[in-house]
């Protein structure tokens, strides 16, 4: 009987650790961020609604917080057609954070971008982004590249 109780306690502990560690499911978190980019670029509001928390926190100062801001962006961009899915140079995940690093073409020229997403309960909860213009090769002081 004592072995049965110990086995049941072990299973309960393993299950609770698995639930507690769900924020650390790094492959799932990376896939969620990729799904976010794919949904925004394909103007898929239904997927955005599923994978972004309603109380989404935005740290880019010119964009409001809240899932509604992303949905409004999709509405604004939809007449221009689908966007371009970025080709990630790097995707790094640790705990509940995912960082993507990629090159993007902006109206003023190419930029290097790093975006950080915080995942909560299987949804995107928070976002930061840093973007820097990529100078022409003849203006760069090294040949290492930004991406």
């Amino acid at each position: 009987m004592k072995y049965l109780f110990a086995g049941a306690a072990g299973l309960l502990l393993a299950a609770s650790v698995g639930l507690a560690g769900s924020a650390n499911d790094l492959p799932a978190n990376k896939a969620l961020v990729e799904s976010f980019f794919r949904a925004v670029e394909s103007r898929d509001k239904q997927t955005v609604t599923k994978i972004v928390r309603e109380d989404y926190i935005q740290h880019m100062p010119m964009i409001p917080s809240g899932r509604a801001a992303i949905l409004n962006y999709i509405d604004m961009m939809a007449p221009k057609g689908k966007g371009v899915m970025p080709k990630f140079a790097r995707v790094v995940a640790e705990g509940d954070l995912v960082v993507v690093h990629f090159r993007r073409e902006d109206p003023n020229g190419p930029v290097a971008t790093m975006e950080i997403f915080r995942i909560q309960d299987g949804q995107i909860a928070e976002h930061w982004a840093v973007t820097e213009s990529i100078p022409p090769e003849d203006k760069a002081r090294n040949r290492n590249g930004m991406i």
Side-chain angles (χ1 to χ4, degrees):
M1 183 70 154
K2 114 174 147 178
Y3 295 112
L4 181 60
F5 177 73
L11 286 173
L12 183 59
L13 177 62
S16 67
V17 169
L19 290 175
S22 63
N24 292 323
D25 186 347
L26 305 183
N29 290 350
K30 288 178 176 183
L32 180 67
V33 168
E34 187 174 331
S35 294
F36 171 78
F37 276 90
R38 191 175 293 109
V40 170
E41 296 303 340
S42 67
R43 315 305 186 225
D44 180 355
K45 291 172 67 173
Q46 184 176 7
T47 297
V48 168
T49 300
K50 286 182 199 173
I51 66 174
V52 176
R53 290 176 56 91
E54 187 173 355
D55 60 350
Y56 165 84
I57 301 166
Q58 175 61 262
H59 291 276
M60 294 175 69
M62 302 310 289
I63 302 173
S65 285
R67 180 175 57 210
I70 300 167
L71 298 173
N72 288 338
Y73 170 81
I74 289 172
D75 286 340
M76 183 179 73
M77 297 306 291
K80 297 179 181 183
K82 294 186 183 221
V84 176
M85 178 70 179
K87 186 183 293 184
F88 299 138
R90 287 162 197 82
V91 180
V92 179
E94 181 178 319
D96 62 352
L97 299 175
V98 175
V99 179
V100 293
H101 182 209
F102 58 94
R103 175 188 171 115
R104 184 178 74 226
E105 298 301 323
D106 271 6
N108 296 326
V111 296
T113 300
M114 293 188 82
E115 298 196 26
I116 305 168
F117 296 85
R118 184 176 61 82
I119 312 302
Q120 180 181 341
D121 300 326
Q123 291 183 299
I124 294 175
E126 199 163 2
H127 174 254
W128 299 259
V130 179
T131 299
E132 184 176 354
S133 295
I134 298 174
E137 283 187 33
D138 64 334
K139 302 287 185 203
R141 294 188 178 173
N142 65 58
R143 300 289 176 237
N144 301 326
M146 294 178 67
I147 303 295

